[in-house]
């Protein structure tokens, strides 16, 4: 496993929008196409493809939320064909390390929200060091990763 994050650009955006989660997970996350459109209006967010070597295996979107000024991982998905191989955990670590390297202003936490019924996400984020905090007004379970 040799995971890297690469920006979504002209050469890979169409490949990124073809990635899909399992059928039973589709209600848990927005499509990659929606996320690529949404990031056009979020100045401090980035979308990235997750690659294993030269093969795209997932997608992420993270940045500084304008409402609370914390880092947030808005999207993280691994394509259904690549789930169960440890890519999710490694992708979380990769994104956390990328945020740590970019965190020049001393933001104290990375936040993430996920559907309360998404046991896979809960297990992955907990194992990666996120601590569940509260249920958001929009119904998602929130979890925080301390950068201090």
């Amino acid at each position: 496993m040799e995971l890297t994050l690469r920006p979504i650009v002209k050469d890979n955006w169409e490949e990124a929008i073809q990635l899909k989660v399992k059928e039973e997970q589709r209600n848990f996350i927005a499509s990659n196409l929606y996320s690529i459109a949404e990031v056009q209006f979020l100045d401090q967010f980035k979308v990235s493809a997750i690659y294993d070597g030269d093969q795209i295996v997932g997608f992420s979107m993270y940045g500084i939320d304008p409402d609370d000024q914390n880092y947030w991982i808005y999207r993280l998905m691994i394509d259904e064909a690549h789930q169960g191989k440890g890519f999710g955990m490694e992708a979380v670590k990769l994104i956390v390390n990328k945020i740590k390297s970019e965190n020049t202003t001393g933001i104290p936490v990375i936040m993430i929200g996920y559907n309360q019924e998404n046991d896979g996400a809960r297990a992955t984020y907990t194992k990666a060091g996120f601590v569940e905090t509260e249920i958001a007004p929009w119904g998602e379970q929130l979890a925080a990763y301390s950068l201090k």
Side-chain angles (χ1 to χ4, degrees):
M1 182 181 315
E2 184 185 321
L3 288 191
T4 56
L5 293 176
R6 299 183 196 170
I8 298 293
V9 293
K10 178 175 68 171
D11 295 334
N12 67 359
W13 76 271
E14 289 180 292
E15 194 175 16
I17 67 171
Q18 297 304 314
L19 299 171
K20 302 282 186 254
V21 293
K22 294 177 181 175
E23 182 68 37
E24 63 270 17
Q25 299 168 327
R26 298 221 170 117
N27 290 334
F28 295 157
I29 191 165
S31 74
N32 295 345
L33 180 59
Y34 178 87
S35 298
I36 291 168
E38 182 181 30
V39 81
Q40 305 309 308
F41 306 101
L42 296 169
D43 295 334
Q44 297 187 70
F45 273 76
K46 299 175 184 177
V47 287
S48 298
I50 301 165
Y51 281 84
D52 179 28
D54 288 329
Q55 183 174 23
I56 190 169
V57 298
F59 178 88
S60 70
M61 179 176 164
Y62 71 90
I64 300 171
D65 187 285
D67 293 331
D68 65 7
Q69 296 301 306
N70 285 318
Y71 276 101
W72 278 78
I73 300 174
Y74 272 12
R75 308 284 189 287
L76 175 59
M77 65 82 68
I78 302 297
D79 185 75
E80 63 184 338
H82 301 286
Q83 292 182 15
K85 301 176 182 178
F87 290 138
M89 176 60 70
E90 289 305 311
V92 172
K93 292 178 186 175
L94 193 62
I95 295 164
V96 166
N97 288 334
K98 182 75 168 160
I99 289 171
K100 285 179 179 178
S101 74
E102 296 174 357
N103 187 16
T104 58
T105 58
I107 294 173
V109 296
I110 302 170
M111 298 296 299
I112 196 159
Y114 46 88
N115 187 298
Q116 296 175 61
E117 297 175 15
N118 190 341
D119 295 329
R122 172 176 282 114
T124 298
Y125 300 133
T126 300
K127 200 180 301 182
F130 282 81
V131 177
E132 290 186 342
T133 57
E134 65 202 272
I135 305 299
W138 57 90
E140 288 185 325
Q141 173 65 59
L142 299 184
Y145 181 97
S146 176
L147 291 171
K148 290 186 175 184

